[in-house]
Each structure stands twice: as structure tokens, then as C-alpha cells.
Amino acid sequence: MEYRTHQCGKITEQYIGEKVTITGWVQKRRDLGGLIFIDLRDRSGIVQIVFSPEVSAEALETAEKVRSEYVLTVTGTVLERDQSTVNPAMNTGKIEISGEEIKILNSAKTPPFSISEDIEINEDIRLKYRYLDLRRPVMQETLKMRHEVTRFIRNFLETEEFMEMETPMLTKSTPEGARDYLVPSRVHPGEFYALPQSPQLFKQLLMVSGFEKYYQIVRCFRDEDLRADRQPEFTQVDIETSFMGQEALLSMMEEMMTGLVKKVKGADIPKPFPRMTYKEAMDRYGSDKPDTRFGLELINVSDVVKQSGFKVFAAAVENGGEVKAINVKGKAADYSRKDIDGLTEFTARYGAKGLAWMKVEASGLKGPISKFFNEEDAANLINVLNAEEGDLLLFVADKSSVVADSLGALRQKLGKDLGLIDQLKFNFLWVVDFPLVEYDEDAERYVALHHPFTMPKTEDLHLMDSNPSEVRAQAYDLVLNGYELGGGSQRIYERDVQEKMFKTLGFSEEGAREEFGFLLDAFEYGTPPHGGIALGLDRMVMLLAGRTNLRDTIAFPKTASASCLLTNAPSPVNEKQLDELHLGLKVKQESN
Amino acid sequence: MEYRTHQCGKITEQYIGEKVTITGWVQKRRDLGGLIFIDLRDRSGIVQIVFSPEVSAEALETAEKVRSEYVLTVTGTVLERDQSTVNPAMNTGKIEISGEEIKILNSAKTPPFSISEDIEINEDIRLKYRYLDLRRPVMQETLKMRHEVTRFIRNFLETEEFMEMETPMLTKSTPEGARDYLVPSRVHPGEFYALPQSPQLFKQLLMVSGFEKYYQIVRCFRDEDLRADRQPEFTQVDIETSFMGQEALLSMMEEMMTGLVKKVKGADIPKPFPRMTYKEAMDRYGSDKPDTRFGLELINVSDVVKQSGFKVFAAAVENGGEVKAINVKGKAADYSRKDIDGLTEFTARYGAKGLAWMKVEASGLKGPISKFFNEEDAANLINVLNAEEGDLLLFVADKSSVVADSLGALRQKLGKDLGLIDQLKFNFLWVVDFPLVEYDEDAERYVALHHPFTMPKTEDLHLMDSNPSEVRAQAYDLVLNGYELGGGSQRIYERDVQEKMFKTLGFSEEGAREEFGFLLDAFEYGTPPHGGIALGLDRMVMLLAGRTNLRDTIAFPKTASASCLLTNAPSPVNEKQLDELHLGLKVKQESN
């Protein structure tokens, strides 16, 4: 008996009268009036089989032993269903198979959760039994979409003459950047490899080598404390080009992303994508990855309030900070004092010392601080905030970064709470003109916002010495619905610009050489103008699949404590393994 | 000035008269009679540019400053070359570009070796300056072929409805198998991840999950002492299927490999591939990966010599060993005693205690041992070995494994030395029916030849208790020109067979559960019949590209001591990094 002539989910009415053999898992078994119905599932879908004593008493007898998730091979004839039992929701809903032969390939214990129903299951249980969780239709669909996304991107880039090239996983630790995962060397006592945070240096070297168009869909690693949308290992669509420039690269990426959304969602996304400078994004949304699917923008009221009688506002402006507000249109009545206290607590998590508020009533501004605003100030506020009766106005006064963080987060929360977000929208956005460097208070020096090879904008080069924080970079992020899908930059390829950059970052010539020696060496042998981008595949799939949990896009993910509940990794190793690696533990090892 | 309107290597006579802009690296600059000729190279190839004072004195002046490997953008008009200067070897050999504008994008130091000439360069230098080494045409070609190979395989498998699925890199250490690379956990003190030696368990779990057809082109890791054709990290084409069976899988692989060879080499390889049992391969070639491009097969003469007067031969057979010979046809005159001493030394490296020899002359067998053979024995030997005047006969008498190793290696050496190998041939071969287990003298138990989930042949199941070493596995290796390209097996999916296997391997039920717990758990929930194969991508590219060094197929490879000469990985890390990982060194760390 062969395994299959057809796939379960593809047996439609066109096969009526034909004999077929199918193999798969038992989704459901029902006994009904002396008959046994089995829904058999394979990768393609589900089909119904019916066993009856008239057709084969032997097959019926075997079918009786069958339980959920047994693996069966069944041969039978495709019959048209009674009109009354047609299931229009299923591809195979117009037919059923009259089972003539049945072979149990394997039995199954009762699974710890239902494979067929889309129910809420504790995630730890799902991760422990991931092989069963992955049988669930929603997980099958998500991973199929991941495959389609990957495939589309490969085909797109290869059509554009990109070469897939592999870079090392066992590479060198670089103290800059996030924390590395280290791999001890057995052959070189006391020495370590690092797993790559990204193939950044290697892809730039491939440009020095003249490959011109590189791509790789590659695993990257960061040993950081995890948030909901982070994994210790993640997959990156990594791209680098020579002789292309920022405009051509961004336009190509738009082509790729719109093609992808069309392919997997059927949606048409207009091109070119909107662009926003980093400065504008921070001003209007308090975020460098704004979700533009809804309004609730941040409005700067510093000029209006700096002379007002409300000392908190005036002082914030006086001290170099600012006052910004969100106008929550028409929602004044929906927010009680207690509700607003909740919002205040929320913004406090982002460093805001308070959340001031007023409501707009027919008679003017109302609320605990309204008394501090004279008629003229109130009118100005109403004007600037485009406020009308029934609006709720929320204010934060602080230094710019706190205002942005807290009001930006509050905006996102309100958008969600108030149902302002259209879940069907795909709002792509380029955020451009990032600052080249920022001042690190702890390190007491400037640090690169992207990395030390990011090209400054030509027109800002003259500020490198006098006012580094004002220099804008040729760097860009691709944002989708408030998530950073990825980012990149054009790279410095000229020696004098690179030297200026290192000087700004406080590196001595020696220090720079120690840190980036081989790349600087490489750059002396004819480096082409080059630049690139890297996109997070896991996050891309999450957004396209409409999931909210990054783990649902990864076949075998890790928990927030970087554990694999399926394999129990990480785990203790034995003494011999440690000895070979010239290592000792500074903790008590569990016995093993 | 834009970077390019055309790629260098694609400007042929069809563009004569057109104005073009090109960008690339200076391959060569020559001054000739007041003119300057520059060969400009990009990924697509090379084109010649000529600068003359008549066309542009300014461009000529800039061109004078140019040196090898400078990066230039040049605009000029495509001209037909003089008949006398046409270079038919070049795609662009019928034209040249009259340079009108030139811009130096970047200068270059003189490279440590020539990029243009195909000369022998010390490999350590090549690896240190890998970014320059990769500019050399031969390396560009090899990596382009690697890309083509990868692309072909992906397209083939995706057309066959395989899903690309990713498996974890940070996984669990398993003491069985080769030595793992370990990754210390920061979050879980004293615990470690392991980098995967292969995604074996995960791909089997994906079958349990019902994905049916999985593939991944994936990095794998082994911390073993390296040989010329090994790397600590290597790339594997990893495949697993459900409901397919060995025959269908092998046939699909033949389809893939013949299609690939056709695509990248234009050669037609007949299908199906020849098959040979493991036993036959060892008998005839002394190797489980025989190079069948030439003869020199091993011939068993045990029966003929066991009664002979030559005690060494007789004793070997008596002690359970064997005597085998290679007939080196017509080469008796070419091998002096000293030459044969060299061969003896060679076989000694493989454990042979001696290499006996005779030459066939008109009068019969000659040589130091010929006197031990009477007329009848000599006639029988000549008959069995199909020997004629002028043949050289080489014998090893020892236990089977030593005979196979030493004569197998000697055969390969003679094939190469005597030029018997047709380098244009692609001899694929399936080696099948591997033993399921072998007895490990050190461990004093049977160990799995492939792994403990390899399915025994059904007809051998009854031998599992009585004579495990005679049980053949449903395992197969794909061999190409004497190299193991890859291998795989059908997996055990039935509980009773799996229990038998563990018993044979000396595992207690508890021990098996400790070692393979989650996989055994998974197998209880309806495991489909499944099996797979894994092919070494690096080696595949090496053989297709006609290279002899695996490192030449990898953009950034490691040396035999697992070092990267470009980045100096591995390297010492700082105390803080070790502290965070709860580790201490048992060696003196170099200062850093």
C-alpha cells in the first residue's frame, strides 16, 4: 500500500468516482449510526472519510481503534456528499471518501491540548510540546507564510542580481555594540569566538572585494535581556550594495516590500513610501518609529505656555525643556479623574514627573490647572491644539527626551485603547536623517548612533568639529505600523571622513586601529562607495501574519529568559567538556 | 556624475558610438605613446579605456595619477578597436572606450599580491588579505558558482513543495556524536548552549509536526581537529520528508544533482545513479566512498594463497584476516624497488605491516616472494588477478579493516599518480545498506553507525538480538568522485523498533529517556514514517568548481587550527565578559 495518490486538502468534487489513497493524521473521529467518520489531516488540509459495514467490515473494525492524531493510510472512493452534509467552509466540503482499506501507521497518546480548535493555550505548555503546537492550523499558516516571505525576498533580490553569500558564525568579539554570545576555543586556550550581532564588517569587506550586490538571510545573536519582541537569536535579511546610493537602495526596498505585501496579503501599497526626518518623527510622534495609522500627534505648546502662570510649564521651558500636548479629540467625557490617574502612572514609567490635563468645555478650559491660564493664554492653547468642546488635553513638561518618551508611549497606548488603529493598514514609513552621533553622559564622549562607519551628510560635514550632535547621517530606518522593520546607512569610504569620525568619537588613531584594524586596512585598497540595509525577518513575518508575539513566527523560539522549553537548553555540561575548553565555573554547577 | 550606465564586462560592439559611464577598479594601467590605457574591472568583467590628449587633456592628466585598484568612474564613447588590437579572448575585446571624463572615487595602496594574474600565493597571506584575494577572478568565479549552486537547489526543492524552515543555533549539548561548540549562558549560571552539529532532532520534530517536506541550507558546527577537507563551521543542505520512503527520496536527489551539474557544468549525467552496497564498496575499493572513475580494484586472493608456502599470507587468512591485491596493469617496468619501498611506507601509515609485491614476466611471477608460490598457486593467482606480462601486483595481508584502509588509500594514490583519473567525469554513486551498528572496542558496546534513530532493514530485524553487526540500515551515502557528498537514512518511527535499538546500544530505558527525552516524548504523539538526507554544500561546490581546497569555496574560511587570519578570531576577551558568563579561565590569559 503506497502512502498517497493525493493530498487530503486537494480532493475536490473533480475526483468524484475515483479511487484515492491518502495519508495523514486523525483530526477527529465520530461514531454515528454504525458508521465511523474520520477527518484526516495532512499539510494540505483536511478531508472526511466514512467507514461503513457495507463497504468493508474489516476497515470499519480497524477504524474503531483509531484515536485523535493517529497516523493512517486510507484507500477509498471519492463520493459526492449529501446536499445536507455539504460543508462550504472546506475545500473538500462537497465530497467524502468511502473508506475501503485502512492501515494504522502509528498510534498516538492523547495530546495535552487540542490540535484542531483555535483555543487559548498556556504558552509554556505550547513551547514544551512545540511539535504539537506546530500542528495547529494557525502555526502551520504562520510558518508557511514565513517560507513564502523568505522565498519572495530571495527571488526578488536574485532577480536584481544580488548574490547570496555566507559569512562566518564563529567570529571576533567586538566590545562596541550589544553584548556578544561567546564561544570558547578548545585549540586556543583562553580565547573566544563571538557569534555575530550582524555580518556588518563582513558585508562591507565583500564590497571591498567587488561583489557589488550581496544578500544573506542570516541568523544574528544578541545576549541582551529580552523583551516581548526580542529573541537571543533572530533572522535578518542582510543587504549591501556598491555604486548604488541611498535613493536607489530605498526605492528598490520599496519595490521589494510592496511586492511582498501584494504577494502574501494581496494588498496594494502606494509608492514611494512617505519619508520623515528623525527630527520630525520625534517632534510629532515622540518616537523614531511612529505608527502613522492614527493621529493623536504631539503638539509643542512651549511658546504658548512659557509666559503662563503655571510655573511647572514655564520652568520646564526656561530650563531648556519643553511642553507638549496631545489633544484626545472628543474623549473628555470618557476619562474620569481615576482614568487620568492611570494615564499619569503610565507616563511616569517613562520618566514623566506628571501628566497635566484639561478638558475643553463650552465655557473654556477646565481642570485643576486651568486657573493658571489667563484668557489670552487659554485662547492660544485652544487655537494651537485645534481644541473643541469635548476634547481632552494631556500635557507633559520636561526635558525633550522625557517628553518624547512619555507622550510617545501615551499616544500609542491611547491609539490602541480608543480603537483608533486600522489593523488592515500597512503604513510603511522611511525615517531619515538620523543624527550621526549622540553624547553619552556615562562615557563622557560622543558615540555613533548607528555605527562608526555611517556616512555623515555631505552638507553637514563642516559641523563635525564644531557641533557633532547636529550632524545628520546618511542613515535610514524602515518603519511599519510603529515597528522598526530594519535600517541601514551609506558607509564612509573615504579615509579623511573616517578619520574625522574617529576623532569625533574620541578614538586615538591607535585605538581605532586596535578596534577596527582589519576593516581599516581593507579600506586602504580601493573601497567603493557602498551602503546597505538589514531587515528583521521575524518581525516582518509577525506584522504580515497579524501576530503580536514574535515567538509565533519562529519554529523553535526561546522564552524571555532565553531558554528552550522543548530541549531544556541551556543545560549543564560535564567536567571533561569544561576541561577541554580550559574553563572553570564560578558557580556551583548542578549535578549532571 | 552617476556611477554607471553600463557594467564594464557587458559593453560589446553593439554599443559602438554610444556614450557610457562605468565604475570599477583599475585592473591595469599602461602608458603608450602619449596615451593612457586603463583596464577597468567590475563584477561583470573588464573593459579597456583609452585617454588621449585630443579627447580631453584634463581627463588624461587625472588618468596619469591612477594606480592599480583605484576606484574610478569614467564617461566616454564606445569605439571599435583597430583590427590589430582586437582581443578575441575578452567579451569586450572588440571595443574600447574613449575616456572623456574621469573621477577618482578612491585611491588604493599597492596590494600585497597581484589581483589580475593567476599566480600561486601563500595561503596565509591570501587569508589575511581575504578581501583582496576575493577580488581575484578565480575566487569571484568560485563564489558565483556557490551562489548558483545554492540558488538551483533552493529552486529545485521549492518547486518540489519543500518549505524552508529555520532551526535554532543555540541548542542543547548532546554528549553523543562529535565534540560540540559550547556557548555559556549569562542568564543561567553554569549552563551552556551548544551550536548544532546538524539540525537532526529538529528536522525530525518538524516531521512530527506535520510539515512533511522540510529543507534548510544551514550552518553546522563541529569542534574536531581539522583536516584539509573540514572546517569548524560548514554548510549543509538539510532535507527531511514524511511519507516518501527511500526510493522516492533517492530518485528525487538524482533529479536534483543531475539538474545541478547540467546547470553549472553543462554536463549530462545518466540516471539512476549506480548503487553499491557498503559491503561491495569495502570489498572492491576498500572504501565506503569509492572513486569509480578508474579501476585498480581490490581483488581478494585469500582462497588462492591460504594454502601457499608464503606463511605471512597463510597466517593472515588463518587468523581471520584476508589477503587482497591490486593489479597495476602494465606498470611493472615503471616501479623500481625504491618506488615500491615508497608505496610500502605509504601503506604503513594506514596500519599495513607490509606491502608484498610481484611482477609478471614472460616466465611467470617474479619478486622476493615469488619463490613461495608453486606453479599451481602462481597460475591461480595470475588467473584471479587477470594478470599479464608487465603487470605489477601489490598485496596486503592483514585483518580486513587494515587491508581495506591501506589498499583503498593505495588505490587512490596510484590512480592519481598514474593519471588514471578523468577530471571531467562526475561519477555519482549511492552506497547503501550500511551496517546499523558497529562494535566499539573502547566503549565495549555497540554504537550507531549513523545515529540511534536510523531504521534497520525490515528483513534484518530478526538479527537485532542475535547478531546486531549483521543488521543493515536503511541508510545511504551519496558519493561523488571519491568524496562523500552527504548521507541520510529512513528513521525509526515505531516504538517497539526504537526500544530494540536502544537495547542493542546498551541504553537502559531511563538512560535513553535522559539522553533523547523530548524526541522520545514527541514520538508518542503520532510520528509519521520519515527520512532525510544532508549534503555538504562546501564540498559540493569544491567538486563542481574543480577546486581541491575546501577553503576556496568559503568567503571567510578558517585555518586548520580554526583561526580566522583576517579578524584574528578567536581572541582573548575581557574580565567583565567572563564574569558575566560566570566563567574563569584555567589558563593564563594574554593581556588585552
Side-chain angles (χ1 to χ4, degrees):
Chain A
M1 198 158 154
E2 67 182 322
Y3 287 123
R4 59 167 51 134
T5 57
H6 294 70
Q7 289 179 286
C8 295
K10 293 183 180 166
I11 303 176
T12 54
E13 52 274 29
Q14 74 178 108
Y15 297 103
I16 286 168
E18 285 187 32
K19 185 164 281 199
V20 298
T21 299
I22 51 180
T23 291
W25 287 262
V26 175
Q27 180 86 353
K28 213 159 42 178
R29 195 203 68 166
R30 283 156 300 151
D31 296 22
L32 207 67
L35 306 176
I36 293 182
F37 292 86
I38 289 177
D39 285 353
L40 201 67
R41 181 191 72 230
D42 67 14
R43 197 177 87 169
S44 67
I46 292 172
V47 72
Q48 175 171 294
I49 311 162
V50 57
F51 293 92
S52 71
E54 291 78 23
V55 174
S56 167
E58 194 189 334
L60 184 70
E61 196 182 329
T62 306
E64 269 167 4
K65 295 185 200 139
V66 160
R67 298 291 176 272
S68 281
E69 301 306 319
Y70 274 38
V71 188
L72 309 181
T73 298
V74 173
T75 296
T77 303
V78 182
L79 303 181
E80 189 168 10
R81 285 201 205 181
D82 273 359
Q83 212 49 41
S84 65
T85 61
V86 161
N87 180 347
M90 284 174 74
N91 198 29
T92 63
K94 289 186 180 159
I95 61 99
E96 61 189 4
I97 292 167
S98 169
E100 293 156 20
E101 288 178 73
I102 175 171
K103 189 180 172 194
I104 297 177
L105 297 178
N106 221 340
S107 62
K109 293 206 300 193
T110 305
F113 49 78
S114 162
I115 307 299
S116 51
E117 287 153 68
D118 196 10
I119 48 172
E120 199 71 28
I121 308 159
N122 173 293
E123 199 187 5
D124 281 1
I125 301 286
R126 286 176 52 202
L127 292 176
K128 180 172 162 62
Y129 295 96
R130 188 62 160 182
Y131 43 89
L132 297 177
D133 186 39
L134 291 176
R135 282 187 192 169
R136 298 192 307 129
V138 59
M139 293 304 293
Q140 291 267 327
E141 288 312 313
T142 305
L143 288 171
K144 276 179 201 167
M145 180 183 278
R146 187 180 176 110
H147 167 63
E148 286 306 326
V149 169
T150 307
R151 188 178 185 188
F152 180 91
I153 290 174
R154 287 193 195 286
N155 285 339
F156 178 90
L157 291 172
E158 293 180 2
T159 303
E160 295 279 337
E161 300 201 316
F162 279 79
M163 277 174 69
E164 181 180 359
M165 303 190 79
E166 297 183 62
T167 52
M169 288 283 160
L170 296 173
T171 176
K172 191 182 161 79
S173 177
T174 50
E176 297 269 311
R179 197 186 288 109
D180 287 321
Y181 276 105
L182 297 180
V183 182
S185 165
R186 176 179 57 87
V187 182
H188 305 275
E191 300 193 344
F192 292 78
Y193 305 95
L195 299 178
Q197 295 182 29
S198 96
Q200 185 64 38
L201 300 183
F202 290 106
K203 71 175 175 174
Q204 292 194 242
L205 288 174
L206 288 172
M207 293 304 105
V208 174
S209 295
F211 286 101
E212 299 187 16
K213 286 181 165 188
Y214 145 94
Y215 95 93
Q216 189 181 195
I217 299 185
V218 61
R219 202 69 54 82
C220 301
F221 304 84
R222 276 182 207 178
D223 186 9
E224 295 293 339
D225 297 316
L226 304 179
R227 301 192 312 246
D229 66 341
R230 284 275 174 86
Q231 282 277 309
E233 46 179 318
F234 55 97
T235 302
Q236 185 163 300
V237 180
D238 200 44
I239 290 170
E240 192 82 9
T241 70
S242 297
F243 311 132
M244 202 167 184
Q246 177 167 333
E247 286 309 315
L249 178 63
L250 265 47
S251 153
M252 191 183 67
M253 287 296 100
E254 292 176 353
E255 196 73 28
M256 184 173 91
M257 293 310 301
T258 52
L260 176 61
V261 174
K262 180 75 183 167
K263 167 88 181 176
V264 302
K265 303 298 288 187
D268 289 299
I269 308 292
K271 277 179 307 191
F273 294 163
R275 292 199 193 179
M276 199 179 279
T277 64
Y278 170 85
K279 193 168 173 310
E280 185 183 354
M282 295 305 290
D283 277 355
R284 290 173 53 193
Y285 299 96
S287 166
D288 60 359
K289 41 179 196 284
D291 188 342
T292 56
R293 290 175 298 175
F294 64 99
L296 293 183
E297 294 188 17
L298 280 54
I299 298 163
N300 197 327
V301 296
S302 303
D303 282 348
V304 179
V305 301
K306 68 183 174 194
Q307 307 291 353
S308 76
F310 189 44
K311 292 297 167 227
V312 176
F313 283 5
V317 179
E318 195 150 314
N319 295 329
E322 60 187 15
V323 183
K324 282 186 169 180
I326 293 176
N327 179 353
V328 193
K329 275 271 165 222
K331 298 293 177 187
D334 298 358
Y335 281 82
S336 67
R337 246 168 214 268
K338 205 178 144 210
D339 293 334
I340 295 176
D341 286 348
L343 300 181
T344 308
E345 268 171 47
F346 177 84
T347 52
R349 281 184 241 153
Y350 297 86
K353 289 184 284 288
L355 180 71
W357 62 274
M358 289 188 277
K359 290 181 177 182
V360 189
E361 299 184 357
S363 56
L365 298 177
K366 292 286 167 257
I369 64 166
S370 59
K371 60 177 180 248
F372 297 112
F373 297 91
N374 61 31
E375 206 163 316
E376 190 191 340
D377 288 346
N380 282 338
L381 261 183
I382 286 174
N383 183 38
V384 166
L385 291 172
N386 190 27
E388 297 164 309
E389 188 181 344
D391 292 353
L392 169 66
L393 309 177
L394 302 169
F395 301 80
V396 172
D398 216 309
K399 59 180 181 178
S400 302
S401 60
V402 172
V403 173
D405 284 355
S406 58
L407 270 188
L410 181 63
R411 172 183 175 269
Q412 200 67 36
K413 177 184 166 54
L414 291 170
K416 208 173 144 191
D417 290 354
L418 296 170
L420 301 178
I421 303 177
D422 179 351
Q423 298 294 343
L424 296 177
K425 267 194 184 168
F426 288 94
N427 275 24
F428 287 96
L429 173 75
W430 288 112
V431 177
V432 297
D433 292 356
F434 277 83
L436 183 68
V437 297
E438 60 185 355
Y439 195 76
D440 182 329
E441 309 277 353
D442 294 336
E444 295 184 335
R445 66 174 179 94
Y446 288 98
V447 295
L449 204 77
H450 277 71
H451 56 69
F453 305 102
T454 303
M455 179 109 81
K457 292 194 87 162
T458 314
E459 59 266 44
D460 292 353
L461 267 177
H462 67 282
L463 298 168
M464 288 283 282
D465 297 323
S466 55
N467 197 352
S469 9
E470 286 300 306
V471 178
R472 291 164 302 166
Q474 294 188 36
Y476 30 83
D477 274 3
L478 181 57
V479 173
L480 172 58
N481 293 351
Y483 286 89
E484 182 199 327
L485 261 196
S489 66
Q490 298 296 302
R491 327 296 185 190
I492 300 174
Y493 65 96
E494 291 159 311
R495 184 187 237 285
D496 54 340
V497 180
Q498 188 65 65
E499 278 170 5
K500 224 175 228 243
M501 180 68 173
F502 280 135
K503 205 178 135 210
T504 302
L505 299 178
F507 278 106
S508 65
E509 196 174 320
E510 210 174 44
R513 189 148 293 279
E514 204 169 287
E515 201 88 332
F516 305 104
F518 63 94
L519 191 65
L520 295 183
D521 285 346
F523 279 2
E524 301 202 18
Y525 290 98
T527 302
H530 64 291
I533 192 166
L535 305 171
L537 182 68
D538 309 304
R539 201 172 282 172
M540 195 187 298
V541 174
M542 182 181 87
L543 293 170
L544 290 171
R547 313 289 298 179
T548 53
N549 181 338
L550 210 58
R551 290 185 289 277
D552 287 345
T553 71
I554 298 171
F556 302 103
K558 298 205 168 51
T559 65
S561 71
S563 300
C564 172
L565 298 184
L566 171 64
T567 62
N568 281 325
S571 57
V573 298
N574 63 42
E575 207 56 46
K576 178 165 170 277
Q577 289 175 289
L578 290 177
D579 283 347
E580 286 180 333
L581 298 175
H582 324 282
L583 293 178
L585 294 182
K586 287 190 180 163
V587 286
K588 265 196 183 154
Q589 195 178 8
E590 293 169 46
S591 65
N592 71 95
Chain B
M1 198 158 154
E2 65 183 324
Y3 287 125
R4 57 167 55 134
T5 57
H6 295 70
Q7 289 179 288
C8 296
K10 293 182 180 167
I11 303 175
T12 55
E13 51 274 28
Q14 72 178 107
Y15 298 103
I16 287 169
E18 284 187 34
K19 185 164 279 200
V20 297
T21 299
I22 51 179
T23 291
W25 286 262
V26 175
Q27 179 86 354
K28 214 160 44 180
R29 194 202 71 165
R30 284 156 299 152
D31 296 22
L32 205 69
L35 306 177
I36 292 181
F37 292 86
I38 289 177
D39 284 354
L40 200 67
R41 181 190 74 232
D42 68 15
R43 197 178 86 168
S44 67
I46 291 172
V47 70
Q48 175 171 297
I49 310 162
V50 55
F51 293 92
S52 69
E54 290 78 24
V55 174
S56 168
E58 194 189 337
L60 183 70
E61 196 183 329
T62 306
E64 269 168 3
K65 295 184 201 140
V66 160
R67 299 289 175 271
S68 282
E69 302 306 320
Y70 274 38
V71 187
L72 309 181
T73 297
V74 173
T75 296
T77 303
V78 182
L79 304 180
E80 189 169 11
R81 284 202 206 181
D82 273 359
Q83 211 50 38
S84 64
T85 60
V86 162
N87 181 348
M90 286 173 73
N91 198 30
T92 61
K94 287 187 180 159
I95 61 97
E96 63 189 5
I97 292 167
S98 169
E100 292 157 19
E101 289 178 72
I102 175 171
K103 186 177 173 198
I104 297 177
L105 297 178
N106 221 338
S107 62
K109 292 207 301 192
T110 305
F113 48 79
S114 162
I115 307 298
S116 51
E117 288 153 67
D118 194 9
I119 48 170
E120 199 71 28
I121 309 159
N122 174 296
E123 200 188 4
D124 281 1
I125 300 287
R126 285 176 52 203
L127 292 176
K128 181 173 161 60
Y129 296 95
R130 190 60 161 183
Y131 44 89
L132 297 177
D133 187 38
L134 290 176
R135 283 187 192 170
R136 298 191 308 129
V138 60
M139 293 304 293
Q140 291 267 327
E141 286 312 313
T142 305
L143 288 171
K144 276 178 201 167
M145 180 182 279
R146 186 179 177 111
H147 167 64
E148 286 305 326
V149 168
T150 307
R151 187 178 185 188
F152 180 90
I153 290 174
R154 287 193 195 284
N155 285 340
F156 178 90
L157 291 172
E158 294 181 0
T159 303
E160 294 281 335
E161 299 201 319
F162 279 79
M163 276 174 69
E164 180 178 0
M165 302 190 78
E166 298 183 62
T167 52
M169 288 283 160
L170 295 173
T171 177
K172 191 181 160 77
S173 178
T174 51
E176 298 268 308
R179 195 185 290 109
D180 286 323
Y181 276 104
L182 297 180
V183 182
S185 164
R186 176 178 57 87
V187 182
H188 305 275
E191 300 193 344
F192 292 77
Y193 306 94
L195 299 178
Q197 295 181 29
S198 94
Q200 184 64 37
L201 300 183
F202 291 106
K203 70 176 175 171
Q204 292 194 240
L205 289 174
L206 288 171
M207 294 304 103
V208 174
S209 296
F211 287 101
E212 298 187 16
K213 288 182 163 186
Y214 145 93
Y215 95 93
Q216 189 181 195
I217 299 184
V218 61
R219 202 69 55 82
C220 301
F221 303 85
R222 277 183 204 175
D223 186 11
E224 295 294 340
D225 297 316
L226 305 178
R227 303 193 311 247
D229 65 342
R230 285 275 174 84
Q231 282 277 309
E233 48 179 317
F234 54 98
T235 302
Q236 186 164 299
V237 180
D238 200 45
I239 290 170
E240 193 81 7
T241 71
S242 297
F243 313 131
M244 200 166 187
Q246 179 167 333
E247 286 309 314
L249 177 64
L250 266 46
S251 152
M252 191 184 68
M253 287 296 100
E254 292 174 354
E255 196 72 29
M256 185 175 90
M257 292 310 302
T258 52
L260 176 62
V261 174
K262 180 75 183 171
K263 167 88 181 174
V264 302
K265 305 295 289 186
D268 288 299
I269 308 292
K271 277 180 306 191
F273 295 162
R275 291 198 194 182
M276 199 179 281
T277 64
Y278 171 84
K279 195 169 171 312
E280 185 183 353
M282 295 305 290
D283 278 355
R284 288 172 55 191
Y285 299 96
S287 166
D288 61 357
K289 42 178 196 280
D291 187 342
T292 57
R293 289 176 299 175
F294 64 98
L296 294 182
E297 292 189 18
L298 280 53
I299 299 164
N300 197 327
V301 297
S302 302
D303 281 348
V304 179
V305 302
K306 69 183 172 193
Q307 305 292 355
S308 77
F310 190 43
K311 293 299 167 223
V312 175
F313 283 6
V317 179
E318 196 149 315
N319 295 330
E322 60 187 18
V323 184
K324 283 187 169 179
I326 292 175
N327 179 353
V328 194
K329 275 275 167 218
K331 297 294 178 187
D334 297 0
Y335 280 82
S336 66
R337 248 168 211 265
K338 204 178 146 209
D339 293 334
I340 297 175
D341 285 348
L343 300 181
T344 308
E345 270 171 46
F346 177 83
T347 52
R349 278 183 243 155
Y350 296 86
K353 287 184 287 289
L355 180 72
W357 61 274
M358 289 190 278
K359 291 182 175 181
V360 189
E361 298 186 356
S363 54
L365 298 176
K366 291 288 168 255
I369 66 166
S370 59
K371 60 178 178 243
F372 296 112
F373 297 90
N374 63 28
E375 206 162 314
E376 192 190 336
D377 288 347
N380 281 338
L381 262 184
I382 285 174
N383 184 36
V384 167
L385 292 172
N386 191 24
E388 297 164 310
E389 189 181 341
D391 291 355
L392 169 67
L393 310 176
L394 301 169
F395 301 82
V396 171
D398 216 310
K399 59 180 182 179
S400 300
S401 61
V402 172
V403 173
D405 284 356
S406 58
L407 271 188
L410 181 62
R411 173 183 174 270
Q412 202 65 37
K413 176 184 166 55
L414 291 169
K416 206 174 147 194
D417 291 353
L418 296 169
L420 301 178
I421 302 176
D422 180 351
Q423 299 293 346
L424 297 177
K425 267 193 184 169
F426 288 94
N427 274 24
F428 286 96
L429 173 74
W430 288 112
V431 177
V432 297
D433 292 356
F434 277 83
L436 183 69
V437 297
E438 61 186 354
Y439 195 77
D440 182 328
E441 307 277 352
D442 294 337
E444 293 184 337
R445 66 172 179 94
Y446 289 98
V447 295
L449 205 77
H450 277 71
H451 56 69
F453 306 102
T454 303
M455 178 109 81
K457 292 194 88 163
T458 314
E459 59 265 45
D460 292 353
L461 268 177
H462 66 282
L463 298 167
M464 287 283 284
D465 297 322
S466 56
N467 196 353
S469 10
E470 286 299 306
V471 178
R472 293 163 301 167
Q474 294 189 38
Y476 30 81
D477 274 3
L478 181 57
V479 174
L480 172 56
N481 293 350
Y483 286 88
E484 183 199 325
L485 259 196
S489 67
Q490 297 297 300
R491 328 295 184 190
I492 300 174
Y493 65 96
E494 289 158 311
R495 183 186 238 283
D496 54 340
V497 180
Q498 188 66 65
E499 279 171 3
K500 225 175 229 228
M501 180 69 173
F502 282 136
K503 206 178 131 207
T504 302
L505 298 178
F507 279 106
S508 66
E509 197 176 317
E510 208 175 44
R513 190 149 293 279
E514 202 168 290
E515 200 88 333
F516 305 104
F518 62 95
L519 191 64
L520 295 182
D521 285 345
F523 279 1
E524 302 201 23
Y525 292 97
T527 303
H530 63 290
I533 193 166
L535 304 171
L537 182 68
D538 310 305
R539 203 174 280 172
M540 196 187 296
V541 174
M542 182 181 87
L543 293 170
L544 290 172
R547 313 289 300 179
T548 53
N549 182 339
L550 211 59
R551 290 184 289 276
D552 287 345
T553 71
I554 298 171
F556 301 103
K558 298 205 167 51
T559 65
S561 71
S563 299
C564 172
L565 299 183
L566 170 64
T567 62
N568 281 327
S571 56
V573 298
N574 63 42
E575 206 58 44
K576 175 164 171 279
Q577 288 175 289
L578 290 177
D579 284 347
E580 285 181 332
L581 298 175
H582 324 282
L583 293 178
L585 294 182
K586 287 190 180 163
V587 287
K588 268 200 180 145
Q589 194 177 7
E590 292 169 46
S591 64
N592 71 96

